Amino acid sequence: MENMKAEAGEPTASGTGTVEYLGVVVVKPAGKGCEVAGKKVVTNVKATTAGAGMELKVEPSEGSAFTSFKVEGCSVSALNGEYEVKGSIKCGMDGATFTCTKAATTAQKSLTFRGQAAGIDGSITFTSRKEKTEPYTPLGQTTVDE
């Protein structure tokens, strides 16, 4: 993430990155043996506070697919295959931590899975350090000197 000054004078932060969701499991339908391949889902995203108020908007770095993943091992063969999540989310900000709740991101109706509103639970705290020997400290959005 990088702090910058937008054209309208609003201080913003934006950046790109890769998010890995580890230990991903299929909850429903239960008892069908379905598993996410590798129990991992990866997405390449861009994020910005520009125009988002006190929120962080997270969206695909390219195209409309937020992420895709493969489900395998299902006893019902029609459930096996590639799945795609499309759209974007906004997460609330508290200092250097941005938190997404399933309820809030689902209510936004901007993220979809198989045409249905989808949501994400999680948080991320941006940290930085000046030297490799120093501990990481939280990095909040700040204003930029003119």
Side-chain angles (χ1 to χ4, degrees):
M1 296 296 285
E2 181 180 352
N3 285 331
M4 60 189 69
K5 189 164 199 131
E7 292 176 21
E10 170 193 16
T12 63
S14 63
T16 60
T18 300
V19 179
E20 291 185 353
Y21 305 92
L22 305 174
V24 179
V25 297
V26 176
V27 178
K28 291 180 182 178
K32 304 292 184 206
C34 300
E35 294 185 351
V36 172
K39 297 192 185 313
K40 177 170 91 171
V41 174
V42 178
T43 185
N44 295 308
V45 295
K46 59 184 176 182
T48 186
T49 59
M54 295 300 285
E55 295 179 311
L56 178 70
K57 182 177 183 180
V58 182
E59 59 191 340
S61 56
E62 292 182 2
S64 63
F66 193 86
T67 192
S68 62
F69 56 93
K70 183 177 182 180
V71 173
E72 57 191 13
C74 300
S75 59
V76 177
S77 62
L79 298 173
N80 294 315
E82 286 286 328
Y83 289 84
E84 190 172 74
V85 179
K86 294 183 177 185
S88 64
I89 57 171
K90 288 185 181 176
C91 303
M93 180 175 68
D94 183 14
T97 301
F98 292 87
T99 301
C100 304
T101 64
K102 182 181 175 189
T105 53
T106 302
Q108 294 168 15
K109 297 183 180 180
S110 58
L111 190 68
T112 60
F113 177 69
R114 301 183 83 183
Q116 301 293 314
I120 293 177
D121 268 323
S123 65
I124 185 169
T125 300
F126 294 105
T127 60
S128 68
R129 63 182 178 183
K130 186 174 182 181
E131 303 290 333
K132 288 186 177 183
T133 56
E134 295 178 359
Y136 284 97
T137 57
L139 178 66
Q141 180 183 351
T142 59
T143 58
V144 178
D145 292 335
E146 297 201 35

